[in-house]
């Protein structure tokens, strides 16, 4: 009744749940719990845990289309904000760069982020970057 599944195929959405919930929430009573109540299929390689920067980039380009789709469908409820989207994606790309130990990419995305964070600080130079990685590895719990 509220969801046009043909659009999902037409726009090749990477996931269906977020767009579906946004549309259902518009027309029904909807409640949000601010905590995770379930976890399933946690894997090192999945749609949400890419091992390739190219795959990650492709995913967020497609997710940007989903965001625009919802904004266009409900323009009085959701406003498209390119700067906010870019800030969100740059933080994700920075985290990926830190996780993969890619200083050059981390420095690039650190410069793109408007609101500096501790992670951004560690992208200023190689010494800080590799010091961060060293201490992160020391204090992380090994399986």
């Amino acid at each position: 009744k509220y969801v046009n599944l043909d659009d999902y195929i037409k726009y090749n959405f990477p996931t269906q749940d977020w767009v579906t919930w946004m549309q259902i929430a518009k027309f029904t009573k909807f409640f949000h719990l601010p905590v995770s109540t379930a976890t399933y299929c946690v894997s090192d390689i999945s749609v949400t845990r890419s091992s390739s920067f190219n795959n990650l980039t492709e995913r967020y380009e497609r997710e940007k289309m989903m965001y625009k789709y919802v904004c266009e469908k409900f323009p009085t409820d959701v406003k498209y904000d390119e700067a906010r989207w870019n800030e969100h994606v740059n933080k994700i790309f920075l985290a990926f760069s830190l996780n993969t130990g890619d200083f050059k990419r981390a420095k690039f995305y650190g410069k793109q982020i408007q609101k500096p964070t501790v992670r951004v600080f560690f992208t200023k130079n190689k010494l800080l970057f590799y010091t961060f990685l060293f201490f992160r590895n020391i204090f992380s719990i090994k399986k």
Side-chain angles (χ1 to χ4, degrees):
K1 182 176 177 179
Y2 303 117
V3 179
N4 182 354
L5 295 177
D6 290 336
D7 283 350
Y8 291 38
I9 296 165
K10 178 181 174 182
Y11 297 112
N12 192 25
F13 291 159
T15 61
Q16 293 78 35
D17 54 350
W18 180 79
V19 176
T20 302
W21 286 117
M22 293 295 288
Q23 293 176 85
I24 291 171
K26 170 68 176 166
F27 301 105
T28 63
K29 289 186 178 182
F30 189 89
F31 298 94
H32 170 263
L33 296 174
V35 297
S36 175
T37 58
T39 302
Y40 72 97
C41 195
V42 176
S43 169
D44 286 340
I45 299 174
S46 69
V47 170
T48 57
R49 298 182 116 198
S50 179
S51 61
S52 157
F53 186 77
N54 290 338
N55 291 348
L56 191 68
T57 304
E58 180 183 318
R59 173 182 172 215
Y60 281 98
E61 282 301 316
R62 290 179 24 220
E63 284 198 11
K64 183 178 184 178
M65 287 189 328
M66 290 186 339
Y67 173 43
K68 286 182 173 181
Y69 173 84
V70 170
C71 293
E72 289 169 4
K73 192 160 185 161
F74 308 114
T76 59
D77 300 307
V78 185
K79 302 284 185 222
Y80 180 74
D81 185 338
E82 183 86 17
R84 187 171 180 198
W85 174 260
N86 289 337
E87 185 80 358
H88 168 71
V89 172
N90 286 333
K91 287 178 182 178
I92 290 167
F93 289 172
L94 173 59
F96 183 85
S97 301
L98 288 166
N99 289 336
T100 58
D102 187 336
F103 170 71
K104 186 177 178 181
R105 206 171 257 145
K107 186 174 183 174
F108 175 81
Y109 287 106
K111 287 180 180 179
Q112 305 305 311
I113 295 172
Q114 300 300 312
K115 295 180 182 176
T117 63
V118 171
R119 286 182 172 182
V120 170
F121 172 76
F122 286 106
T123 66
K124 300 291 181 196
N125 63 55
K126 283 186 178 183
L127 178 62
L128 289 170
F129 180 78
Y130 289 110
T131 300
F132 170 80
L133 294 182
F134 175 77
F135 282 106
R136 186 188 64 184
N137 289 337
I138 286 176
F139 293 109
S140 68
I141 298 171
K142 303 290 182 193
K143 292 181 182 179

